[in-house]
Each structure stands twice: as structure tokens, then as C-alpha cells.
Amino acid sequence: MTIYDTIVVGAGVAGLTAARLLSGAGRSVLVLEARDRVGGRVHTQRSDGLVTDLGASWIHGVDDNPLVDVVRAFGMPMAEFTVGSFQPDGRPIAYYGPGGNRLSAADAERFAADVHTVDELLDRTVATSRPGDSYETAVETALAGLDWRPERVERVREFLRHRTEEQYGVWIADLDAHGLDDDQVEGDEVVFPEGYDRLATRLADGLDVRLAHVVGSVRWSHDGVSVTSDRGKFRADRVVVTVPIGVLKSPELLIDPPLPEPLAGAIERLEPNHFEKVVLRFPDRFWDDGVYAIRRQGDAGRWWHSWYDLTDLHGVPTLLTFAAGPCAEAIRTWDDDAVAASVLASLREIYSDAVAEPDHVLVTRWRDDPFARGSYGYLTVGASPEDHDLLATPVEGVLHIAGEVTWSEDPATVTAARSAPDTASPRPSSARRSPSAPSGLDPEESTQAASTWAARNSSQVSVPAGVSEDRLTPAR
Ligand SMILES: Cc1cc2nc3c(=O)[nH]c(=O)nc-3n(C[C@H](O)[C@H](O)[C@H](O)COP(=O)(O)OP(=O)(O)OC[C@H]3O[C@@H](n4cnc5c(N)ncnc54)[C@H](O)[C@@H]3O)c2cc1C
């Protein structure tokens, strides 16, 4: 039986990056992937000539983002769409008030200013929160200090609730006070008109990836690892496990002996969320021109409050909305028609009869996907951002958990999945972006691996002329 240097479990962005770093450093690497495709939660549907990202769409901030170097090297065109992090302003947004009328520009500006005021207060209440405080507690503490009339406070409260749901797919009282600590966007946000999946297919180039291999157990000792899939058993000196937090928590993947502390505690405190996309394509546009998003305030927007205009990106009239947190939990058992009917009823409260029946509706089901079991991880009340780092603690130099949920600077993102395999041990915050090692590599080898990574990307990938800033064209 071949004994590999490293087996990587999972061919998402984290697993493929880890495999490239290691094989670039001369290691023999085998990647085992349960699905019949690479990319994991980066998944693009191509049908009827349309390109739809069903998982990740955005890079949430291109400044100083290592992922941007990779997508540029791969020649992936990007389009600016700076609205993916639930900003209250910055780009044109059509706000509809509780009564269903569009807010004037001045009212929308006043509302956005209120959100910024509370955000500043919130920074302080989060920083001084006690262990065990929820994000809701921090928000209520910030709001309690205001002498505004109740209606004005309520608009900001509901905005922060919706932001928690869209950013982390969880009800505000179930997220730790520090659950949005990483929520800063540096620079423009971009999306991928030709599909985000190109990143994964390019990363997989030249790697030994075995698709349709569902790993059921990882047995490890000082002597190495034995990984059993439904298509056979494989051996290696070490293993990098990049499956999502929902899979790590499930009994479907056995790690034997069980993960020790501090990893076990971190897994307990992190949870997979409820967050799904609903994409609707219409025969004609009926919504406001020249806006990135439409937002609804008041009780009517309890579930469906934000729609993103993807028309220019998709080439046909298209709106994207999210089922997040309690809404996503509630619609889990609904069929797509019922979900569409609910979304359309909300749109009709704004645009009445102008809302046509959609030609096409797409509802994702990541929470029920056995190889995702949620869209990404969040910090339960009592958890700490450090839990992400603790989960990346190498186990006896043999086993390393990597993936989105093990990176505390930008967890829940493709950026995190790209960065997590760089590290071998918990990092002080100041050193989080410095390249360190995948499991089992010492710092010197790590630097080598990182340079090999860079060299491979520049020598093996032909970068078409003009790819860089000038491909950052607006999506609209
Ligand atoms: C709806 C949605 C929207 C999102 N939006 C954004 C966004 O706009 N921007 C952003 O940056 N991020 C976004 N994300 C998050 C982003 O997609 C993830 O953080 C990132 O792709 C995770 O990469 P990963 O490699 O860590 O995990 P994955 O991509 O999940 O890779 C893990 C791999 O392990 C495989 N696997 C699981 N179980 C087994 C097993 N038993 N045996 C073998 N293989 C197994 C899986 O099939 C998968 O391929 C979104 C995610 C979703 C679902």
C-alpha cells in the first residue's frame, strides 16, 4: 500500500490550498473528496447560459487580501459589488419604510447615520462585554444609552438583527457578543461574473484528487494515519482535515482517538449556521433602477428584507435574497414554490402588481447537504474568536484541522479557507496573516512552501494581459 506524506480530507478551497502548498514543498499528497466535484461550498451552477454561484459569491474587501492575489493570478474577472457585508450605505440602496413607501434620500442618509452612530457605541459595548454576553445584549446596552424616540431606535435594532442574520445566519441572541468582531470590510467587494468555482478548479490542477470518496474515519497515532473511505483505506504520515464544522460535529466522520483539548472544546462552542440563497429570475425588471440593493424596514421585513440586484451580472432581470437564521430554519421543510410565494408576497408589499411571476427560482439547501451541514460556522454565546485558532492546533504533528472555521481573522469566508492552511498553530493576532506551516512543516519548510506556492502560481498560470485593477469593473 502506498504511504503518502499527507492525506487531505476535503477538496474545498482550504483542502486544495493545503495540498498545493504541500505538494509544492515536494510532499506526496492525496486529496479525498466526498462529492463528484471540487470546490465544496464554492459551487457554480451553469445552465441555460447563465452562471449562478450557489455558495460563496463575494470577496468581502479586496485590500490586503491574499485571496485576491490568487484569483488575479488565475485570471478570474471580478466585478465590483460592494454591498455583500450588509452595509447601510456607501452604494445606492433603496430603503422602503414600515409603511411601504420609499425613504427619501435625506431620510435614508439619516437612517444610515444612526446605524453608524450605534456601531461606534457597539464597538465599546462589545469590547466591555462579559463572557457569556450575547450580541443582542451588547446591542441593547448600546441602544439603552440613546435618548431617541422608540421608532428611531427600533429601525436600528432591526437593522442590526438582520445584519447578524445575513452575516452569520443566526438569531441575534444566539451569537456571542464577539461574533461579529471580524466584520470589517477593507476596500471594495467583488463578485465573479464567470463563476467563483474557477478558483477551485484551477487550485486542483495537477493534484491527485480522488472524487466520490466519502471518508468515514480518520485513525491516527504517533506512527501515522489510516483514512477509511467508502472506496477503500489509505495511509499517510499525517492528515489535514478540512471538512466543515457541521461535518466535524457529526457522527458520520469518526476521528479516533477523539480530538483532544483544546480542539474538542472549540468544536463544541462553534456551530454550523442556517443560511440559504434564494435567486429569482423575472421576465422583466419591476424594481428600482440604479441601486445595488432594496431593503424593507418594519415588521413586513422580518424574514425577507433585502434583495440584491444581480441583473447586470447575470444578464437577465435577477434578484438575490437570503433566508438566514430563524427564517432559514423555518423554510427548511418548505418546497421551492412555497419559498418563492413567500418572497413574492413580500416584494408585492413594495411593488404591488408590478411583480411578475418569476421564470426561474433557485433555493439552496446547504444545511441539509451531508457534506456541508450548514453554510459556515458561528460563535455560540460563551465562545470566543480564539476558538477558531484553537481548532487549528496541530495534534501531535500528525493531525491538523484546517478550513474556513479555523481562521479567526475572517472566518466563514473563502479568504479564511485560503489562509487557514498556511498555519500550523494558534497565532497571536498580530501574526495572523504571516505565512506559517501546514501541519508537520517547520517554519523554514513553511517559508519554502509559501514561496513554492507563489512560484507555482506565477509560473504555471498564464495571466492574460489586462488582468488586474482594470478587470475590477462595476457589476452594474
Ligand atoms: C450560501 C453561501 C454563501 C456564502 N457566501 C460567501 C461569500 O460571499 N464570500 C465568502 O468569502 N464566503 C462565503 N461563503 C463561505 C465560503 O463558501 C466558505 O467559507 C468556504 O468555501 C469554505 O471552504 P473550505 O475549504 O473551508 O470548506 P468546503 O468548501 O466546505 O470544503 C470542504 C470539503 O470537504 C468535503 N467533505 C465533507 N465531508 C467529507 C467526507 N466525509 N469525506 C470527504 N470529503 C468530505 C466537502 O464535500 C467539501 O468539498 C458562503 C457559503 C455559503 C454556503
Side-chain angles (χ1 to χ4, degrees), residues 162 165-166 171 296 298-307 321-332 334 338-339 342-343 346:
H162 294 158
E165 290 165 7
E166 275 209 8
W171 175 242
R296 179 68 199 266
D299 287 349
R302 190 169 62 93
W303 276 14
W304 313 111
H305 47 75
S306 299
W307 292 270
T321 188
F322 295 104
C327 166
E329 284 187 70
I331 65 154
R332 206 167 157 187
W334 297 14
V339 175
S342 178
V343 176
S346 292

Side-chain angles (χ1 to χ4, degrees), residues 217-247:
S217 69
V218 173
R219 294 197 156 79
W220 62 276
S221 71
H222 296 288
D223 299 330
V225 293
S226 158
V227 177
T228 307
S229 79
D230 57 349
R231 302 245 191 135
K233 195 184 264 196
F234 302 87
R235 298 213 51 204
D237 293 338
R238 58 181 75 81
V239 64
V240 179
V241 178
T242 68
V243 301
I245 184 71
V247 177

Side-chain angles (χ1 to χ4, degrees), residues 9-16 32-35 37-42 53-60 67 84 196 213-216 242-244 247 252-253 275-277 322 364 366 369-372 374-376 402-405 411-418:
V9 182
V13 170
L16 295 170
L32 297 175
E33 167 55 49
R35 303 176 199 270
R37 61 169 180 82
V38 297
R41 285 169 280 165
V42 171
D53 275 315
L54 304 180
S57 312
W58 274 274
I59 293 184
H60 298 297
L67 178 60
Y196 217 153
H213 280 62
V214 181
V215 171
T242 68
V243 301
V247 177
E252 301 298 314
L253 178 65
F275 181 77
E276 305 293 351
K277 285 181 164 179
F322 295 104
T364 64
W366 289 100
D369 177 325
F371 307 123
S375 286
Y376 37 88
E404 154 262 310
V405 79
T413 64
V414 180
T415 300
R418 153 64 194 94

Side-chain angles (χ1 to χ4, degrees), residues 143-156:
L143 295 175
L146 298 165
D147 60 357
W148 298 351
R149 55 181 202 286
E151 169 80 6
R152 187 172 168 197
V153 173
E154 186 53 28
R155 294 289 75 78
V156 177

Side-chain angles (χ1 to χ4, degrees), residues 216-408:
S217 69
V218 173
R219 294 197 156 79
W220 62 276
S221 71
H222 296 288
D223 299 330
V225 293
S226 158
V227 177
T228 307
S229 79
D230 57 349
R231 302 245 191 135
K233 195 184 264 196
F234 302 87
R235 298 213 51 204
D237 293 338
R238 58 181 75 81
V239 64
V240 179
V241 178
T242 68
V243 301
I245 184 71
V247 177
L248 274 180
K249 288 174 95 90
S250 95
E252 301 298 314
L253 178 65
L254 173 75
I255 298 186
D256 183 31
L259 292 171
E261 290 298 346
L263 291 87
I267 290 179
E268 212 165 289
R269 292 184 292 275
L270 293 157
E271 275 294 325
N273 69 358
H274 290 266
F275 181 77
E276 305 293 351
K277 285 181 164 179
V278 182
V279 179
L280 302 116
R281 296 207 176 93
F282 293 95
D284 297 298
R285 282 178 65 99
F286 53 81
W287 54 91
D288 304 70
D289 263 334
V291 296
Y292 282 53
I294 298 139
R295 294 207 201 283
R296 179 68 199 266
Q297 298 178 318
D299 287 349
R302 190 169 62 93
W303 276 14
W304 313 111
H305 47 75
S306 299
W307 292 270
Y308 301 93
D309 185 357
L310 302 185
T311 306
D312 290 350
L313 194 66
H314 287 219
V316 293
T318 305
L319 289 177
L320 163 70
T321 188
F322 295 104
C327 166
E329 284 187 70
I331 65 154
R332 206 167 157 187
T333 53
W334 297 14
D335 64 22
D336 290 3
D337 289 346
V339 175
S342 178
V343 176
L344 290 171
S346 292
L347 280 168
R348 287 192 177 111
E349 288 194 23
I350 301 175
Y351 298 106
S352 48
D353 294 346
V355 180
E357 281 304 304
D359 296 326
H360 186 75
V361 176
L362 203 152
V363 183
T364 64
R365 306 283 178 180
W366 289 100
R367 181 68 198 206
D368 294 307
D369 177 325
F371 307 123
R373 294 177 181 265
S375 286
Y376 37 88
Y378 70 88
L379 297 179
T380 59
V381 176
S384 133
E386 285 293 300
D387 283 324
H388 296 293
D389 298 326
L390 293 177
L391 194 46
T393 310
V395 181
E396 310 276 350
V398 172
L399 190 152
H400 181 199
I401 307 291
E404 154 262 310
V405 79
T406 66
W407 186 251
S408 60

